[in-house]
Amino acid sequence: MGAVVEVKYFNSFVLKKVATADNNIMWNGSDGIPSNVAGGYPVVNVVGGSNPNDWAIEEARIRGGYNNTSTDYGAKAYLVEDEPNAVTRFNTLIYSGIFNSRTGINNTNVFSTADDITKSADPANGSVQKLYAEDTNLVIFQERKVSRALVDKDAIYAAEGGGAVTASNLTIGVIQPYAGKYGISKNPESFAIYGYHKYFADKENNAILRLSRSGIDEISAINMKDFFRDNLNNLNTTAGVGSVLGAYDIYNNQYVASLQQYSAPTVIPQVYNTLSFDESIRGWTSRYSYAPQVMFSLGANFYSVQSTGGVLKLWKHYDTRASRGNFYSVNGGANVTFILNAEPVRSKTFKTIGYEGSNGWKLLSLSSDATGKNLNPSNSALEMYFDQSSGINSYYEGEYAFNTNGVAIPRSNYALATGNNPPGFGTINPPVPRYYAGFNRKENRYVSNLINASAPMPGEIIFGEAVSGIKGYFVTGVMATDQTTNNGGEKQLFSIESAYTMNNGY
């Protein structure tokens, strides 16, 4: 039994009424349309139309003009399949006919089943997530593999295994995989390109990758393997699927990746890590306190898009008119985590902390390496113990003076205590001696002693403020900018140091 062919006829015109400058009514540029006035043909408003100037009319002449060219019924023939089935070919590329603007040929809507217009990649590597055309090659990113397809050429292989590229009439030639079992998972949003470097994330392998002429390199393994293993592996939660947003920052020449985890149906992630990779030093240089919806470079500038107050806004980064550390109208400041690990095999007592740089840095925390699990007799729990110091205010935050009653007045309360209102953080009048409970300064070198703030270990008699400094093989600390000194301005940090003494084996 043959296929059933049905033919339908179409001959509908939608006309729009337009008022000209002299208030004459024009119908699609023609004034020869019959109207709904007495003696004319009825004109019916489009059913459900919101614009009263839009009308539908039964007409057999082009533009509806008197004695204009008449139209015939247009035929549209199509096949009726008894069992219409659709097939999703997730690993297959398909291309249409050619488009040539010079000759007027446009076959982009022609997909002839008589021609070989498909090219399939290995289905074992998952679906095709991203295509990127580079010169005369097509880079294909599947979930578990990255390949390149030759365009308008093909590869011929000899019996010995050698190959040569030759001209061909194939639109998409042979698909050649790159070495390594890497793909782009289901995160095509992580793709970014600069020059011949293409960056993307493989969440299934917990890796951030770079594709260049030399092949695929795992740049997340450069001193950051544990970080990306933990964070990429935990992106997907029961509340939603996380994303890895990538872009190339042309201003700083860095690849920026934002790992975003969603715990609620919102465009702003609750947990995120945004960080950058710098090719010049082959390392991950910074972490940022912003999570964008979109990132891109344009010209010499870097932009992102995020919602503020429920309104999507375009934000320009590195603009000197904005406060430093201010992202999406939120001042997050900046902080640096550091490790002091001189003579790592010797136990030491760290007595002081100092840094070289700008005024306006404070110590948030400083702690030693932790012990092994110890039994706490008070609650029978196994706990880790370590030494830690109190935080240290910045130079201005820790400044104070004594009033006439001998009461210590912080710098922030000078005007309230003396009745004077000096400009900014200027000196009070009359001047009085000032002291510093935080960092003290000498020639842009800031130092402070360390005040122990450790909880007592089992069996420990002297602890806390009764102990000088903190004890350990190494210490980990966090320096942060304050919001008192030149808030939003530039603050530099060159080096961090500590004076320590060796312990006698315990």
Side-chain angles (χ1 to χ4, degrees):
M1 179 178 179
V4 178
V5 178
E6 292 187 2
V7 178
K8 287 189 176 181
Y9 295 92
F10 301 88
N11 186 26
S12 299
F13 296 90
V14 176
L15 307 178
K16 186 175 182 65
K17 182 173 66 176
V18 180
T20 62
D22 53 0
N23 291 325
N24 290 327
I25 300 301
M26 302 288 290
W27 293 85
N28 279 6
S30 172
D31 54 5
I33 297 294
S35 66
N36 60 347
V37 297
Y41 294 95
V43 180
V44 183
N45 196 313
V46 178
V47 177
S50 59
N51 190 340
N53 290 331
D54 291 337
W55 302 83
I57 185 172
E58 293 295 331
E59 181 58 63
R61 298 192 179 272
I62 296 177
R63 299 169 63 94
Y66 174 74
N67 208 26
N68 281 357
T69 305
S70 61
T71 60
D72 195 0
Y73 289 116
K76 182 177 180 181
Y78 57 94
L79 291 176
V80 177
E81 299 183 63
D82 294 332
E83 297 181 1
N85 295 319
V87 177
T88 301
R89 303 181 65 178
F90 57 86
N91 65 311
T92 301
L93 309 179
I94 185 170
Y95 51 91
S96 67
I98 65 172
F99 171 77
N100 191 323
S101 60
R102 183 172 56 86
T103 60
I105 297 176
N106 184 1
N107 292 330
T108 54
N109 65 335
V110 177
F111 296 87
S112 175
T113 57
D115 299 327
D116 186 11
I117 58 174
T118 61
K119 180 67 68 172
S120 298
D122 189 349
N125 294 323
S127 61
V128 175
Q129 294 287 317
K130 175 74 178 179
L131 296 176
Y132 178 75
E134 183 178 52
D135 297 332
T136 58
N137 295 324
L138 185 66
V139 184
I140 304 171
F141 294 88
Q142 294 178 261
E143 295 178 47
R144 291 177 288 276
K145 195 68 176 176
V146 181
S147 309
R148 67 186 181 106
L150 305 178
V151 177
D152 289 335
K153 56 185 183 293
D154 207 351
I156 298 178
Y157 294 93
E160 295 80 8
V165 177
T166 180
S168 172
N169 59 356
L170 290 175
T171 301
I172 301 178
V174 66
I175 296 178
Q176 301 172 322
Y178 287 99
K181 196 66 175 178
Y182 294 112
I184 201 171
S185 297
K186 291 186 177 180
N187 299 103
E189 72 278 3
S190 65
F191 179 83
I193 183 169
Y194 180 72
Y196 282 99
H197 290 159
K198 290 163 280 291
Y199 304 90
F200 57 98
D202 186 352
K203 191 164 57 178
E204 291 186 6
N205 286 322
N206 304 319
I208 304 293
L209 307 166
R210 179 193 60 202
L211 174 61
S212 60
R213 289 181 171 182
S214 60
I216 299 177
D217 297 312
E218 186 179 346
I219 59 177
S220 57
I222 304 176
N223 301 322
M224 293 286 284
K225 190 173 184 67
D226 292 348
F227 172 86
F228 285 105
R229 176 200 62 202
D230 298 337
N231 287 278
L232 286 173
N233 188 53
N234 295 324
L235 275 184
N236 294 345
T237 65
T238 55
V241 177
S243 65
V244 185
L245 187 64
Y248 194 84
D249 180 358
I250 194 68
Y251 187 92
N252 271 349
N253 285 330
Q254 295 175 340
Y255 170 68
V256 180
S258 183
L259 285 60
Q260 303 179 4
Q261 182 185 101
Y262 299 91
S263 56
T266 174
V267 296
I268 301 178
Q270 279 63 52
V271 180
Y272 65 89
N273 288 281
T274 304
L275 60 168
S276 60
F277 178 81
D278 194 324
E279 287 286 353
S280 63
I281 64 172
R282 285 185 56 80
W284 297 87
T285 57
S286 299
R287 294 175 65 182
Y288 302 101
S289 56
Y290 69 91
Q293 293 187 45
V294 179
M295 295 186 293
F296 62 93
S297 290
L298 182 63
N301 298 310
F302 183 62
Y303 300 89
S304 67
V305 176
Q306 185 51 279
S307 176
T308 301
V311 179
L312 278 178
K313 295 182 179 180
L314 177 67
W315 301 86
K316 180 182 178 182
H317 294 238
Y318 311 112
D319 196 315
T320 56
R321 295 169 294 180
S323 299
R324 293 173 180 262
N326 189 303
F327 296 104
Y328 310 144
S329 299
V330 177
N331 188 2
N335 62 77
V336 177
T337 301
F338 63 92
I339 297 176
L340 300 177
N341 193 22
E343 302 187 58
V345 298
R346 301 283 301 275
S347 176
K348 299 169 286 291
T349 297
F350 296 86
K351 300 185 297 182
T352 66
I353 187 73
Y355 76 90
E356 294 182 19
S358 305
N359 183 10
W361 289 90
K362 60 183 179 181
L363 181 71
L364 290 183
S365 64
L366 188 71
S367 58
S368 70
D369 52 299
T371 66
K373 293 274 186 166
N374 292 274
L375 181 65
N376 189 334
S378 63
N379 55 15
S380 300
L382 290 173
E383 298 177 351
M384 301 278 283
Y385 293 92
F386 53 89
D387 261 9
Q388 62 182 353
S389 76
S390 299
I392 300 175
N393 287 331
S394 67
Y395 180 70
Y396 275 158
E397 283 182 337
E399 185 186 77
Y400 66 97
F402 291 99
N403 65 9
T404 56
N405 297 323
V407 178
I409 305 299
R411 163 179 281 268
S412 59
N413 293 342
Y414 275 173
L416 178 64
T418 65
N420 298 308
N421 188 17
F425 294 124
T427 60
I428 63 175
N429 186 24
V432 296
R434 285 173 286 172
Y435 306 91
Y436 298 91
F439 282 106
N440 206 341
R441 177 175 65 187
K442 185 175 181 181
E443 297 178 351
N444 288 343
R445 184 170 177 266
Y446 299 81
V447 295
S448 176
N449 63 312
L450 293 174
I451 300 176
N452 195 294
S454 305
M457 292 179 60
E460 195 172 40
I461 300 175
I462 302 175
F463 58 89
E465 294 184 4
V467 180
S468 175
I470 62 176
K471 182 186 294 185
Y473 286 92
F474 65 90
V475 291
T476 302
V478 179
M479 295 284 291
T481 57
D482 65 13
Q483 295 187 6
T484 303
T485 311
N486 188 21
N487 191 20
E490 180 183 29
K491 296 183 178 72
Q492 297 179 337
L493 184 65
F494 299 114
S495 64
I496 301 174
E497 60 185 0
S498 175
Y500 60 88
T501 58
M502 294 296 177
N503 300 323
N504 296 323
Y506 59 88

